[in-house]
Amino acid sequence: MKQAARRWVFAFAVGTLAVTGCRDKPVDHMQRARDAIFEKRPDEALVEYRKAYDMLLRDEAPEALVMRARALKGAADVYWLEQRKVKEAVSVYRQLIQQCPESPEALDARIILAELLRVHYRDLRGSIDQLTAALHRNPPQGAELQYQVAKLYFELADYPQCELEARKLPERFATSVYVDDSIYLQAQALAMMEGKRQEALRTFADLRSRFPDSELAPHALFEMGKLRADAGDNEKAIETWVETLKTHPDPTLVQDAIVRARRRLANLTVEGIGKKEVAFDRAKQARTSVEAMGGTAEEAARDRGD
């Protein structure tokens, strides 16, 4: 990434030589860059963005800072959206965040960078850092970003932190469409934690109670059945899954779970019967060798000297 940043700075230096003595203003290069993107000429767009940036580099006026952020954002977007050059895009997005941290463009850059780090570098913690920084700006899509943070912690198998982050969402964004998703994720995280089965059951039940029409409600009920089966309560699990069949989008999945639970119950019953039969047989076993040969109890008593 540092090499890409150096190439970017070098390219701007080249741009400086190209525009020496030129009367064009940064705004002119910005417009040419946009025109080049529209006309599917990304390389030319990058050149124009670079020229605009270079002219603005040492200008600390508020208007110049705004335009510099836009030039960096435009160039990074070209690298990513037009050319699919992830390494270069990541480098310029980082440069934008460093130079213009309070700009709207930096907020967008953090969100895009988080996705690039997650997908292309599997840097989940780096992605979390970018999303968390974006959340501190109170963006309009805050609920979605909060949910993404919670999901990333689940993917990291950090279930306590996932549960904590998922629980934040309904508290901060009570009217968001992501509330039911966050409750479901919270319950899933609890289910993965030792000693949290009952709390997970209550959270799944809370989802069904608060959002009975949510597409996640039947999935929550199915998960409740799994938790009961894991606890050895196969009868209650079957009862739960039978109810789930009414609304679950994949009834075959539910039916398979019911069949497995019934088999477990049948096996337990057969084992119990077997143990009772063994105990009964032992009770009937001959007490002496005389009895074993078919002798009477009196003969057996005489044999023992009774």
Side-chain angles (χ1 to χ4, degrees):
M1 292 184 186
K2 291 182 179 179
Q3 291 179 350
R6 285 196 292 269
R7 288 198 299 271
W8 170 256
V9 173
F10 175 75
F12 281 139
V14 174
T16 303
L17 297 176
V19 298
T20 301
C22 182
R23 297 180 180 179
D24 287 336
K25 299 178 181 179
V27 66
D28 299 320
H29 293 295
M30 296 286 287
Q31 184 58 52
R32 289 172 190 163
R34 288 190 289 268
D35 291 342
I37 293 171
F38 181 77
E39 295 168 5
K40 305 298 181 183
R41 292 182 282 111
D43 290 337
E44 291 184 27
L46 282 173
V47 170
E48 296 299 332
Y49 279 130
R50 289 165 181 166
K51 290 178 180 179
Y53 173 88
D54 190 69
M55 296 175 72
L56 297 162
L57 188 56
R58 293 174 178 80
D59 190 343
E60 296 300 322
E63 298 81 1
L65 291 176
V66 169
M67 194 168 295
R68 189 196 306 175
R70 291 175 181 172
L72 286 168
K73 176 65 162 49
D77 286 348
V78 169
Y79 276 131
W80 167 231
L81 298 175
E82 304 297 330
Q83 298 184 332
R84 295 298 177 182
K85 293 182 177 179
V86 176
K87 184 177 180 180
E88 289 81 356
V90 166
S91 177
V92 181
Y93 282 131
R94 288 191 185 279
Q95 190 176 356
L96 166 57
I97 292 167
Q98 181 181 9
Q99 293 190 17
C100 312
E102 301 303 318
S103 65
E105 290 78 14
L107 173 61
D108 292 340
R110 287 191 183 278
I111 296 170
I112 298 170
L113 182 57
E115 184 69 5
L116 294 177
L117 293 175
R118 181 185 71 83
V119 174
H120 295 278
Y121 293 94
R122 296 302 299 162
D123 182 3
L124 303 186
R125 294 201 179 275
S127 182
I128 289 172
D129 290 343
Q130 294 300 330
L131 292 176
T132 301
L135 281 165
H136 289 160
R137 301 279 302 277
N138 294 316
Q141 67 273 50
E144 181 182 359
L145 301 185
Q146 182 67 49
Y147 179 64
Q148 289 179 12
V149 168
K151 284 204 305 180
L152 286 167
Y153 276 116
F154 191 93
E155 195 170 349
L156 283 167
D158 188 345
Y159 303 118
Q161 191 64 35
C162 171
E163 190 271 335
L164 176 64
E165 298 295 337
R167 183 154 35 90
K168 287 180 184 178
L169 196 151
E171 297 171 357
R172 294 181 58 187
F173 310 99
T175 61
S176 168
V177 295
Y178 285 92
V179 171
D180 56 338
D181 297 91
S182 69
I183 296 174
Y184 186 83
L185 183 59
Q186 180 186 354
Q188 285 183 309
L190 287 166
M192 299 297 291
M193 296 161 61
E194 189 70 27
K196 297 288 186 177
R197 180 181 291 118
Q198 291 303 317
E199 193 173 345
L201 279 168
R202 287 194 296 271
T203 306
F204 279 127
D206 179 51
L207 168 61
R208 296 186 64 244
S209 175
R210 293 175 59 182
F211 301 95
D213 297 326
S214 169
E215 63 180 14
L216 292 173
H219 295 281
L221 191 58
F222 180 75
E223 293 299 321
M224 291 171 71
K226 286 173 61 178
L227 288 170
R228 287 164 176 159
D230 290 342
D233 192 351
N234 290 291
E235 292 183 354
K236 188 63 176 178
I238 291 171
E239 180 182 328
T240 303
W241 285 327
V242 168
E243 183 182 354
T244 310
L245 278 172
K246 302 173 185 176
T247 55
H248 200 281
D250 188 356
T252 301
L253 175 69
V254 182
Q255 289 167 346
D256 289 344
I258 292 171
V259 168
R260 287 193 297 271
R262 284 176 174 163
R263 284 175 183 166
R264 287 193 294 271
L265 278 175
N267 290 337
L268 288 173
T269 304
V270 169
E271 289 175 5
I273 292 173
K275 289 177 182 178
K276 290 179 182 178
E277 288 176 346
V278 169
F280 181 70
D281 289 343
R282 286 178 179 169
K284 295 191 298 181
Q285 285 178 353
R287 295 174 59 196
T288 69
S289 58
V290 174
E291 288 177 297
M293 295 298 293
T296 65
E298 290 80 5
E299 292 173 328
R302 288 196 299 271
D303 183 64
R304 293 194 302 269
D306 293 346

